[in-house]
Amino acid sequence: MRFAVVQFGGSNCDRDVVHAVSDVCGVDCDLVWYKDGITKDYDAIVIPGGFSYGDYLRAGAIAARTPVMDGIRRHAAAGGLVLGICNGAQIGAESGLVPGTFTTNATPKFICRPVCLRVETTASPFTRLYREGEVIRIPIAHKEGRYVASPEELARLNAEGRVAFRFCDADGNVTPAANPNGAAENITGVLGGPGKNVLCLMPHPERASEEVLGSADGKRIFLGMIRSIEEVGPRA
């Protein structure tokens, strides 16, 4: 089993993800420079957080149009797992891996703090090790993390169980007060792909993968991916 973490110019959470996958979860992981493309048959691809291309135009807009994303889209279309975290979620949405987009926060300032999330579905490789309705604690760090989508897209996401996480309070209540960036319906994690095999989320699970960091709640996203790969067998 082998993961890939794609590095763009401006990525700054790439090595944190490698640490979470390799050192914490015990799975081999390659750092892949975006210009080199996806040249191996990886079991999972992670697009990490950061500020690819300095967030010029829109966050993730330029990176989404680089050739490496063609390989990532093919991987996802074939059922391979793709995880986009923060800037990676912005890139994933700009690439069409999930519907909607992540744009400037309702209050246009950078927000960096732990938040509570409610798990909306366990029917995905990423959320399978949680309980539906469980409240978890994972940090956010973004200025352009407000999820927006058309009413039709939101209705489809809800009908198909493709909302993975919503911002909530410590008791699991989804309220405006618990929404740090003004996201539509408090949504901050969206599932895409033919088998819900793509997750784009703004919170940083790699920053909540060990108790020494203040929370290990994010570790189960990676462990869920690993469990799903084990069940079908590695691709390589």
Side-chain angles (χ1 to χ4, degrees), residues 15 19 21 33 89 97 125 129-130 159 166 177 179 182 191 200 231:
R15 295 183 184 276
H19 171 71
V21 172
W33 181 238
L97 289 171
L129 298 184
Y130 298 107
R166 297 183 199 268
N179 189 341
L191 295 163
C200 289
E231 289 177 353

Side-chain angles (χ1 to χ4, degrees), residues 142-224:
H142 61 255
K143 183 181 177 182
E144 298 175 79
R146 176 171 60 97
Y147 182 72
V148 296
S150 69
E152 294 78 17
E153 287 172 324
L154 290 171
R156 182 168 62 85
L157 288 172
N158 286 305
E160 296 180 0
R162 290 183 178 271
V163 176
F165 301 106
R166 297 183 199 268
F167 293 119
C168 68
D169 64 21
D171 296 318
N173 300 304
V174 175
T175 65
N179 189 341
N181 61 20
E185 299 184 6
N186 286 46
I187 294 170
T188 191
V190 182
L191 295 163
K196 300 180 182 177
N197 53 298
V198 176
L199 172 61
C200 289
L201 79 165
M202 289 310 298
H204 285 265
E206 78 281 7
R207 298 185 187 181
S209 60
E210 301 174 272
E211 291 294 348
V212 70
L213 299 175
S215 171
D217 288 343
K219 180 180 178 181
R220 279 180 280 170
I221 290 179
F222 300 111
L223 292 178

Side-chain angles (χ1 to χ4, degrees), residues 86-127:
C86 198
N87 187 226
Q90 296 159 342
I91 295 168
E94 287 276 350
S95 301
L97 289 171
V98 296
T101 192
F102 296 91
T103 189
T104 306
N105 297 343
T107 300
K109 65 179 182 179
F110 185 80
I111 304 171
C112 183
R113 60 179 175 86
V115 296
C116 292
L117 310 176
R118 192 176 74 185
V119 179
E120 297 296 281
T121 179
T122 59
S124 83
F126 311 94
T127 58

Side-chain angles (χ1 to χ4, degrees), residues 20-31:
V21 172
S22 293
D23 300 329
V24 178
C25 297
V27 171
D28 291 335
C29 188
D30 293 341
L31 281 170

